[in-house]
Amino acid sequence: MTQSPNPSLNQPTAWPRLKALATALMASALLSGCGVVNNMIYKTTGDVMQGFSRDHTVPYLMESSDLAMGCAMSEATAPLLMSFGRVTSEPDQLAVMLYLSAGGCAEEKAREFELDGLAAMHAMNANEAEDALIRQKRAYVLASERYFKSWKHHNAYYGEPGTGECPDFEDDKDEFIYMAGLLSGLQALNAQIQSTSSIGVPANVGSIVARATSCLENDKWWGAPMALRATVWAMIPGAQPQGEDAFERLAIADEQGEAAGVRLPHVFHAIAAINKGDQDMVKSVIREHARSLEETPADADWRFVDAMATNMIVAISDRMWVENTGHRTPLGQLGTFWDDQREEVETMNLDDLL
């Protein structure tokens, strides 16, 4: 007896259905394969970009003194570079630098709004002064949020600072990023205070940062770790250890920064003097900074940090000038002040020639 063929295969619609099923299966396999390939490409690209940025982009930027360029770069590239954390490991080290720099951009705007407000007050323009104050606080909110992101990424990569345990640094770049992260924490707290808003920055960040600076080599980093620690001592009641003098430490750090051509300690010294209410000391630090700029060139590897320090010193000087005169520090006259006594100029009596 002959077995008849499978009747289902004899139906005119059977083959098209099988072809459609086969096509769907092939398409699914191809699309799945493309997804795997794309993820591999994205991950590889992310790893390459992270490594390149850490090993080349950051050092290249540190050799530049163009703060505006660094500011624009961090704000423009942060979303792109941080998005690679979706396909590979989170770029925490890179984030420390990006958000620290981006926070500085926002803080720079806040300082400009502050100067606008001070100038308006000097001109007795109350409405303009109030509007500038509002814009200043808004900018400080953004600055604090960015600095705080940098601080969080710092802690995610290096662990909780100030616990007595120090990370094992791979190289100088690793140690520098650690120091930058500590600075971001302090800046986050300061910007939060200036904004008069609650961003969520813990109030004890200053004490944590002060303890964590002991993990850094003070001589290697231009006296900045000791200057940062001494500034916290000067600003937080009861923080200064017995037998220490914050301002003596700051003076020593100033000399180290000047000799190295990276004058970051001057900024900490000026901030501590402002907090103390000692205007004469603030003026002295600004004068010393201006003198040092003429005598010692910036370290070629750290021009950006030195330029950042000068920019902050100029900002402090500008604030003092605007409060007292209505205008900023005159161009080319950093280190001079409105109340400086002018040197007497010897004049000739023309009557003696007649």
Side-chain angles (χ1 to χ4, degrees):
M1 183 176 179
T2 306
Q3 186 177 5
S4 62
N6 189 335
S8 65
L9 296 180
N10 292 328
Q11 298 295 328
T13 59
W15 284 111
R17 288 177 180 173
L18 287 173
K19 288 181 179 179
L21 178 61
T23 302
L25 291 172
M26 291 178 63
S28 177
L30 288 172
L31 289 174
S32 176
C34 287
V36 172
V37 171
N38 284 340
N39 284 335
M40 291 177 62
I41 292 174
Y42 295 155
K43 184 181 186 305
T44 302
T45 303
D47 291 339
V48 170
M49 289 297 292
Q50 284 191 47
F52 182 85
S53 297
R54 178 190 180 279
D55 295 336
H56 297 285
T57 305
V58 172
Y60 178 83
L61 182 62
M62 291 299 105
E63 294 173 0
S64 166
S65 59
D66 192 335
L67 299 181
M69 186 71 75
C71 182
M73 186 201 75
S74 63
E75 288 190 315
T77 62
L80 170 65
L81 295 174
M82 292 307 299
S83 68
F84 285 115
R86 295 164 62 96
V87 294
T88 185
S89 59
E90 191 74 16
D92 289 314
Q93 272 195 310
L94 188 57
V96 171
M97 300 304 299
L98 287 172
Y99 286 121
L100 175 61
S101 180
C105 302
E107 186 174 3
E108 179 71 16
K109 291 179 181 178
R111 287 197 293 261
E112 287 298 312
F113 293 143
E114 180 185 24
L115 293 179
D116 290 343
L118 291 172
M121 289 176 64
H122 193 272
M124 305 296 288
N125 189 331
N127 288 335
E128 187 176 336
E130 183 177 2
D131 184 67
L133 177 62
I134 293 169
R135 287 182 291 161
Q136 175 193 352
K137 289 184 177 181
R138 288 178 178 176
Y140 269 122
V141 167
L142 179 58
S144 182
E145 290 172 346
R146 289 176 174 179
Y147 285 139
F148 197 31
K149 283 184 179 180
S150 176
W151 173 251
K152 288 178 178 178
H153 283 286
H154 171 274
N155 295 353
Y157 187 85
Y158 292 103
E160 191 70 25
T163 60
E165 295 184 6
C166 296
D168 294 324
F169 300 117
E170 295 180 3
D171 48 31
D172 286 351
K173 289 190 291 289
D174 196 13
E175 191 172 351
F176 172 73
I177 294 173
Y178 181 83
M179 182 172 68
L182 297 182
L183 181 59
S184 72
L186 207 58
Q187 291 293 84
L189 179 60
N190 178 63
Q192 177 178 260
I193 294 170
Q194 296 291 335
S195 73
T196 66
S197 301
S198 178
I199 313 301
V201 184
N204 65 339
V205 164
S207 299
I208 293 172
V209 167
R211 292 194 299 270
T213 56
S214 61
C215 294
L216 300 165
E217 292 187 37
N218 191 58
D219 293 340
K220 180 193 293 185
W221 301 112
W222 337 294
M226 186 66 251
L228 198 160
R229 186 156 61 247
T231 301
V232 173
W233 293 348
M235 296 180 69
I236 300 178
Q240 180 172 285
Q242 188 175 2
E244 288 284 4
D245 186 314
F247 288 95
E248 283 185 8
R249 290 287 190 177
L250 285 165
I252 294 171
D254 286 348
E255 295 177 358
Q256 290 177 291
E258 291 169 18
V262 185
R263 288 157 272 255
L264 189 57
H266 283 155
V267 177
F268 296 121
H269 197 163
I271 291 172
I274 291 170
N275 182 73
K276 187 182 179 183
D278 191 337
Q279 190 177 79
D280 288 339
M281 183 184 293
V282 178
K283 287 182 177 180
S284 177
V285 172
I286 294 173
R287 287 192 179 100
E288 192 63 27
H289 187 89
R291 181 198 59 76
S292 178
L293 288 174
E294 295 179 355
E295 296 179 357
T296 308
D299 186 308
D301 293 330
W302 303 102
R303 291 191 187 98
F304 193 88
V305 180
D306 191 57
M308 181 180 69
T310 297
N311 185 60
M312 296 181 75
I313 289 293
V314 170
I316 294 170
S317 176
D318 283 347
R319 190 181 192 281
M320 296 172 70
W321 271 90
V322 172
E323 282 183 326
N324 288 275
T325 67
H327 63 77
R328 303 168 193 239
T329 310
L331 192 63
Q333 295 187 41
L334 179 65
T336 65
F337 298 94
W338 60 95
D339 55 353
D340 287 345
Q341 291 187 354
R342 298 180 181 275
E343 294 183 4
E344 293 185 6
V345 179
E346 186 176 344
T347 59
M348 179 180 295
N349 189 344
L350 294 180
D351 292 338
D352 294 341
L353 299 177
L354 298 178

